[in-house]
Amino acid sequence: MQIGYQRRYDAGVAAAKAAVDAGELGRITTVRSTTLDPEPPSAEYIASSGGMYQDCGVHDFDIVRWITGQEAVEVYATGSNGGADFFREYGDVDTSAAIITFAGGALGVVSNTRYNGRGYDVRLEVHGSRDSVAAGIDDGWPIRSTEPGATHPAGPPHRFFMDRFQSAFRAEFETFLEVAAGKRPSPCTVADAAETDWIAEACALSATEHRPVLLEEVRSPHRRR
């Protein structure tokens, strides 16, 4: 079985992972992952989506865990609502942020929103003691620089996940065909998905109770304070 986290197959993200694994960045201090949607989905979708952390943030949680090669031990998450009323009605938020502490000491910073009028902004930054790298900083990056004379990014902003990740989806599907044919093991397993889901669950609990949450609390509910 191969879990569909397509960001692992994005060329820029894969290059960042290779740089981390090769030791080029030194000790990883911070990894930042961002998903900013240009507009929200429908109320019907939100009603059954599982919420911001399980639906949207889960892709960021997977990628920061994968990039660092470390397991999360604690999270603190918060969210807010300033848009459509249906988010609040379904107990969800339209904007969120989370800080993840990993076992090796790296800190993950994840930010999400359903309202980013300039476009679909998905990017990754990895900061280390020797170097830093970023993925998603291309001419389609939906941001406007206020630096005098700046011309980057020069292209039209990404507007949809298919134009941002078209090549990644193709690479993911090609990999799946190899997995199905028995030519290689699955690079994104059920165990990976479970660990990512624990992070999402911990973030949801943290946002609800306004406190840091240890991953062990959601893995073993009877241990909750």
Side-chain angles (χ1 to χ4, degrees), residues 7-8 10 12-17 20 30-35 59-68 108-110 121-127 132-137 141 164-165:
R7 296 185 195 185
R8 297 186 180 207
D10 176 75
V13 172
K17 173 64 171 173
V20 170
T30 308
V31 57
R32 302 174 184 269
S33 186
T34 298
T35 301
H59 290 277
D60 299 282
F61 303 146
D62 173 72
I63 213 63
V64 296
R65 174 181 176 266
W66 184 63
I67 285 287
T68 61
V109 181
V110 170
D121 187 352
V122 174
R123 64 186 185 277
L124 173 77
E125 301 173 22
V126 192
H127 306 273
S132 297
V133 295
I137 311 299
W141 182 21
R164 170 66 177 85
F165 286 117

Side-chain angles (χ1 to χ4, degrees), residues 90-172:
Y90 290 116
D92 200 3
V93 296
D94 63 43
T95 301
S96 67
I99 298 175
I100 304 166
T101 301
F102 288 97
L107 296 179
V109 181
V110 170
S111 58
N112 304 123
T113 188
R114 304 291 193 180
Y115 291 94
N116 190 57
R118 193 164 183 85
Y120 181 69
D121 187 352
V122 174
R123 64 186 185 277
L124 173 77
E125 301 173 22
V126 192
H127 306 273
S129 58
R130 291 207 299 265
D131 199 4
S132 297
V133 295
I137 311 299
D138 59 8
D139 278 335
W141 182 21
I143 202 162
R144 180 170 60 89
S145 175
T146 57
E147 291 298 321
T151 59
H152 178 78
H158 297 299
R159 294 298 306 176
F160 189 51
F161 69 88
M162 282 304 297
D163 74 81
R164 170 66 177 85
F165 286 117
Q166 184 179 45
S167 296
F169 280 117
R170 181 179 294 111
E172 180 183 44

Side-chain angles (χ1 to χ4, degrees), residues 157-218:
H158 297 299
R159 294 298 306 176
F160 189 51
F161 69 88
M162 282 304 297
D163 74 81
R164 170 66 177 85
F165 286 117
Q166 184 179 45
S167 296
F169 280 117
R170 181 179 294 111
E172 180 183 44
F173 183 66
E174 291 171 351
T175 300
F176 175 71
L177 293 178
E178 293 180 356
V179 172
K183 296 180 179 179
R184 60 177 296 180
S186 174
C188 191
T189 66
V190 172
D192 289 322
E195 289 300 323
T196 296
D197 190 60
W198 290 131
I199 298 173
E201 290 291 329
C203 284
L205 179 61
S206 175
T208 299
E209 299 189 354
H210 304 287
R211 66 175 179 86
V213 171
L214 295 171
L215 267 291
E216 283 305 311
E217 294 184 58
V218 294

